[in-house]
């Protein structure tokens, strides 16, 4: 019913119209009550040349997450501190998330992890900024396990205390590679399914990186989720595991807004929980993403693999947002497969659609903000990177 009316596509399990209707009703009932977390995290995996499109080179990728978070909060502004990295194509998905969060009048909470500096905007302090980014996963030693457990516990406490539903989003350059490493550490062969911000996913490069990391990790037979994150994961995964488990323990619905990185978090949680209460846990968990990310069915196949492996009924929703009518190349690039998702663009735009806003309204506001950010010099020139 709603899927046809609003253009929201469901994917994952074969679900009937009644279940789809019930899922949408949960979201609509809480539409103005979601607390949005943007977790920005640093990992030295992002410094591998060619691994990510979140910045034109490794140096620019060090500030991508900070610039995304600042833009999400403030939009195009002459007072910006961080320039958005120049991309080979497209523009940051923070543009979409900023526009849609303003439309639904929510104020995101930024959680910086391993960024190495104190951001100049309001943020939630979870760990010492001096801890810095996680190591490159090829080392097999991404983080000390103590750090992983501390991040998990902090996320768990915040989730447990939640009095409202939450949406988890991310900006983690190199994060699809750590997501693939986590899933393959648990035995899923996903090298041809994990997406990328790049037009053509660097599958062979990523396969070699992940293979080296898992080999160097030398995980024992009785390893758990925390061991995997410590070996080949990133700070976002550790914190989001706790946040998700805590929020569901508080009986709050949770939207995981993204693609393979969110599925990696789900997988880590399901491995940690085992068979205990997994159906109740999953019931009010949603994977929400953009329509661009599900175009080639890879994310759908990945979700189905997880559903099959853990015998759960996780449901995905894809936003109807499109830029076919846009006059700007940066936005039209999304239509041909560039950037695709990030900074919660899929989930936050779905909330905007469910709140009654139309595609042309979102596109128009994205264009206005794009014009302004270009006029204000908020996007780096290549020589700045």
């Amino acid at each position: 019913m709603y899927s046809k009316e609003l253009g929201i596509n469901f994917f994952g399990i074969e679900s009937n119209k009644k279940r789809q209707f019930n899922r949408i009703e949960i979201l609509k009932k809480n539409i103005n009550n979601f607390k949005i977390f943007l977790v920005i995290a640093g990992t030295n995996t992002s410094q591998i040349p060619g691994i990510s499109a979140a910045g034109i080179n490794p140096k620019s990728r060090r500030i991508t997450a900070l610039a995304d978070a600042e833009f999400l909060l403030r939009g195009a502004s002459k007072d910006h501190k961080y320039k958005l990295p120049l991309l080979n194509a497209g523009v940051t998905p923070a543009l979409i998330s900023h526009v849609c969060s303003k439309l639904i009048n929510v104020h995101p909470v930024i959680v910086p992890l391993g960024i190495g500096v104190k951001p100049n905007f309001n943020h939630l302090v979870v760990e010492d900024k001096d801890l810095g980014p996680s190591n490159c996963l090829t080392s097999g030693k991404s983080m000390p396990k103590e750090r992983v457990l501390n991040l998990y516990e902090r996320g768990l406490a915040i989730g447990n205390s939640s009095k409202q539903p939450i949406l988890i989003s991310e900006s983690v350059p190199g994060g699809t590679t750590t997501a693939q490493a986590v899933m393959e550490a648990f035995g899923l062969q996903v090298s041809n399914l994990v997406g990328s911000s790049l037009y053509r996913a660097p599958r062979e490069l990523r396969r070699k990186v992940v293979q080296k990391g898992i080999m160097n990790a030398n995980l024992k037979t009785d390893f758990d989720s925390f061991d995997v994150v410590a070996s080949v994961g990133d700070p976002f995964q550790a914190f989001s595991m706790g946040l998700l488990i805590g929020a569901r323990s508080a009986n709050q619905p949770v939207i995981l807004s993204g693609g393979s990185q969110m599925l990696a978090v789900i997988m880590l949680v399901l491995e940690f929980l085992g068979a205990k209460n997994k159906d109740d846990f999953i019931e009010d968990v949603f994977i929400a993403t953009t329509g661009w990310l599900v175009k080639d069915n890879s994310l759908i196949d990945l979700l189905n693999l997880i559903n099959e492996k853990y015998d759960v009924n996780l449901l995905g929703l894809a936003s109807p947002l499109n830029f076919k009518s846009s006059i700007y190349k940066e936005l039209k690039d999304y239509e041909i497969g560039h950037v695709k998702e990030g900074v919660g663009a899929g989930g936050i735009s779905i909330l905007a659609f469910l709140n009654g806003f139309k595609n042309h309204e979102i596109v128009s506001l994205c264009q206005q903000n794009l014009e302004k950010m270009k006029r204000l010099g908020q996007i780096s020139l290549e020589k700045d990177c």
Side-chain angles (χ1 to χ4, degrees):
M1 186 180 297
Y2 283 105
S3 58
K4 184 176 181 182
E5 178 187 342
L6 295 175
I8 295 171
N9 290 314
F10 294 84
F11 62 95
I13 63 163
E14 292 295 327
S15 62
N16 57 40
K17 291 291 182 182
K18 182 178 179 181
R19 185 166 191 261
Q20 293 178 5
F21 175 83
N22 289 339
R23 302 291 83 199
I24 292 294
E25 282 301 298
I26 289 171
L27 297 181
K28 285 178 73 72
K29 185 175 74 173
N30 293 288
I31 197 80
N32 296 312
N33 197 31
F34 270 92
K35 187 167 190 175
I36 295 176
F37 289 90
L38 173 66
V39 184
I40 60 174
T43 166
N44 284 332
T45 302
S46 72
Q47 298 302 289
I48 299 171
I51 206 74
S52 171
I56 204 164
N57 58 34
K59 183 181 176 184
S60 71
R61 289 195 284 273
R62 289 212 178 272
I63 65 159
T64 297
L66 284 163
D68 279 345
E70 182 182 48
F71 195 90
L72 174 64
L73 294 177
R74 299 173 179 170
S77 168
K78 64 180 175 56
D79 298 320
H80 65 270
K81 179 174 181 179
Y82 309 105
K83 284 186 181 292
L84 292 156
L86 180 70
L87 306 181
N88 285 313
V91 67
T92 175
L95 172 63
I96 299 167
S97 300
H98 168 73
V99 163
C100 292
S101 64
K102 292 298 180 187
L103 286 174
I104 61 176
N105 194 32
V106 296
H107 305 283
V109 176
I110 311 299
V111 184
L113 306 173
I115 299 299
V117 299
K118 181 180 179 180
N120 74 325
F121 43 76
N122 289 337
H123 59 280
L124 183 64
V125 177
V126 167
E127 65 171 5
D128 190 329
K129 67 177 176 59
D130 293 332
L131 286 173
S134 57
N135 298 323
C136 181
L137 73 85
T138 54
S139 67
K141 297 178 178 63
S142 287
M143 291 175 285
K145 191 171 180 180
E146 180 184 9
R147 183 180 181 186
V148 173
L149 291 169
N150 286 339
L151 286 169
Y152 168 79
E153 292 292 344
R154 289 288 284 133
L156 186 67
I158 293 166
N160 271 327
S161 65
S162 181
K163 300 294 191 292
Q164 60 195 112
I166 67 170
L167 181 149
I168 303 174
S169 59
E170 56 73 32
S171 177
V172 186
T176 53
T177 305
T178 50
Q180 178 176 327
V182 160
M183 289 188 275
E184 297 211 350
F186 282 116
L188 276 190
Q189 299 306 307
V190 298
S191 61
N192 290 322
L193 298 178
V194 173
S196 172
S197 52
L198 288 158
Y199 178 63
R200 284 189 173 84
R203 299 199 191 281
E204 184 59 22
L205 171 61
R206 221 162 38 191
R207 185 188 65 77
K208 291 177 180 177
V209 167
V210 168
Q211 189 176 53
K212 184 175 180 181
I214 292 175
M215 181 181 69
N216 286 337
N218 194 27
L219 291 161
K220 307 304 179 187
T221 54
D222 59 345
F223 64 85
D224 60 19
S225 294
F226 302 116
D227 294 320
V228 169
V229 176
S231 298
V232 295
D234 61 53
F236 157 75
Q237 294 165 346
F239 176 78
S240 297
M241 267 186 73
L243 186 58
L244 173 57
I245 291 173
R248 290 301 298 125
S249 296
N251 206 30
Q252 297 296 341
V254 178
I255 296 175
L256 295 169
S257 187
S260 56
Q261 294 183 66
M262 297 302 169
L263 290 179
V265 171
I266 282 281
M267 191 169 177
L268 286 163
V269 168
L270 289 172
E271 284 285 344
F272 176 68
L273 292 177
K276 186 177 66 173
N277 302 324
K278 64 181 180 181
D279 292 327
D280 290 340
F281 177 86
I282 284 293
E283 185 59 23
D284 285 343
V285 175
F286 303 82
I287 294 289
T289 192
T290 64
W292 303 299
L293 200 56
V294 297
K295 270 187 176 178
D296 70 354
N297 289 326
S298 295
L299 187 68
I300 298 171
D301 292 342
L302 188 54
L303 182 62
N304 285 334
L305 267 183
I306 291 174
N307 276 333
E308 183 179 336
K309 178 177 174 66
Y310 298 100
D311 191 25
V312 291
N313 293 322
L314 187 62
L315 189 64
L317 293 82
S319 171
L321 178 63
N322 70 81
F323 289 132
K324 292 174 184 175
S325 64
S326 176
I327 61 174
Y328 288 101
K329 178 184 180 300
E330 292 93 336
L331 299 181
K332 281 186 172 293
D333 282 343
Y334 277 81
E335 296 299 321
I336 58 175
H338 295 285
V339 187
K340 305 181 192 75
E341 169 64 285
V343 200
I348 300 173
S349 63
I350 285 173
L351 293 180
F353 279 104
L354 291 176
N355 226 331
F357 294 99
K358 306 299 183 186
N359 194 78
H360 69 86
E361 295 175 283
I362 298 173
V363 173
S364 176
L365 288 169
C366 284
Q367 292 187 152
Q368 290 173 35
N369 275 268
L370 178 60
E371 290 168 1
K372 188 175 179 183
M373 70 161 71
K374 291 166 78 171
R375 188 169 67 248
L376 295 172
Q378 203 161 350
I379 302 174
S380 288
L381 301 173
E382 188 167 357
K383 64 176 182 289
D384 297 328
C385 297

